[in-house]
Amino acid sequence: MKLEPIDRWRSATTKLFKELWGSDDMVLSGVVYHLNELPGFVAIDEQNILGMITYLDRGNTLEVISLDSLRANQGIGSALLQKVETTAVLSHKTGVELITTNDNLHALGFYQRRGYRLTQLFPEAVDQSRKIKPQIPAVADNGIPIRDELRLLKNLLARGEGMRADE
């Protein structure tokens, strides 16, 4: 597996975003993000995309907007997330943050195992985002109603929590 900047893969990732998310737009906290315009990375094997991550520069942090692994439990998501964390450290950022939804138990566990901590709850935020992007389902495959957003943050400067720029 190799990680590359997403730019060279824009047409393929745009198609994948549409397949995975219903469009290449992501709505978080009522804000529309055009995934095909964001910086990011792809994981590839030969000429096949195995996963992709997009992010935004938020000043002191980088915010992950989307993370998709097309093959579960092969380290693809971990490698892509680590690449953004490394990018953050090299850019002198203090952390990496992201938003997920209340139903996404897999993502919550994935991020917390990698040092991310819950920092904010946005009650009914998905209900508001659904007004902008109606194809957001009301109930997840696991039966949990999709209503709230949760912000997680990994502090890259805290000892024992990820990487530090001086290590």
Side-chain angles (χ1 to χ4, degrees):
M1 175 176 55
K2 192 165 73 168
L3 301 179
E4 292 186 1
I6 201 169
D7 294 331
R8 178 176 162 233
W9 299 89
R10 286 290 179 197
S11 62
T13 57
T14 298
K15 181 181 174 191
L16 284 170
F17 288 138
K18 289 178 181 178
E19 289 174 15
L20 296 168
W21 298 103
S23 78
D24 58 351
D25 292 335
M26 176 76 66
V27 182
L28 297 171
S29 300
V31 177
V32 179
Y33 297 95
H34 304 290
L35 298 175
N36 62 348
E37 297 174 1
L38 298 178
F41 301 98
V42 294
I44 59 168
D45 180 13
E46 313 250 335
Q47 290 297 312
N48 300 312
I49 295 176
L50 305 174
M52 53 209 168
I53 192 168
T54 61
Y55 64 91
L56 278 174
D57 188 325
R58 294 286 191 203
N60 289 332
T61 64
L62 294 183
E63 181 177 0
V64 173
I65 303 299
S66 68
L67 172 58
D68 297 290
S69 174
L70 304 179
R71 296 184 189 163
N73 301 314
Q74 293 188 12
I76 298 164
S78 297
L80 288 164
L81 188 60
Q82 181 65 52
K83 182 71 171 171
V84 170
E85 291 173 5
T86 300
T87 300
V89 169
L90 294 173
S91 302
H92 307 287
K93 306 296 182 187
T94 60
V96 174
E97 60 185 317
L98 59 97
I99 289 177
T100 192
T101 51
N102 64 285
D103 66 293
N104 199 340
L105 304 179
H106 177 75
L108 286 167
F110 173 83
Y111 292 118
Q112 290 181 80
R113 284 189 299 276
R114 285 154 184 81
Y116 287 76
R117 300 192 60 181
L118 293 164
T119 60
Q120 285 181 289
L121 167 67
F122 303 103
E124 300 175 10
V126 182
D127 297 334
Q128 297 304 311
S129 293
R130 200 174 283 111
K131 292 176 184 176
I132 298 167
K133 187 176 178 181
Q135 59 265 55
I136 299 171
V139 178
D141 291 340
N142 60 13
I144 298 174
I146 307 170
R147 295 185 185 119
D148 311 316
E149 291 179 344
L150 303 159
R151 181 175 300 281
L152 292 94
L153 170 70
K154 183 172 185 177
N155 181 346
L156 298 175
L157 301 178
R159 187 168 297 281
E161 295 278 337
M163 303 178 313
R164 294 190 355 222
D166 60 347
E167 290 185 320

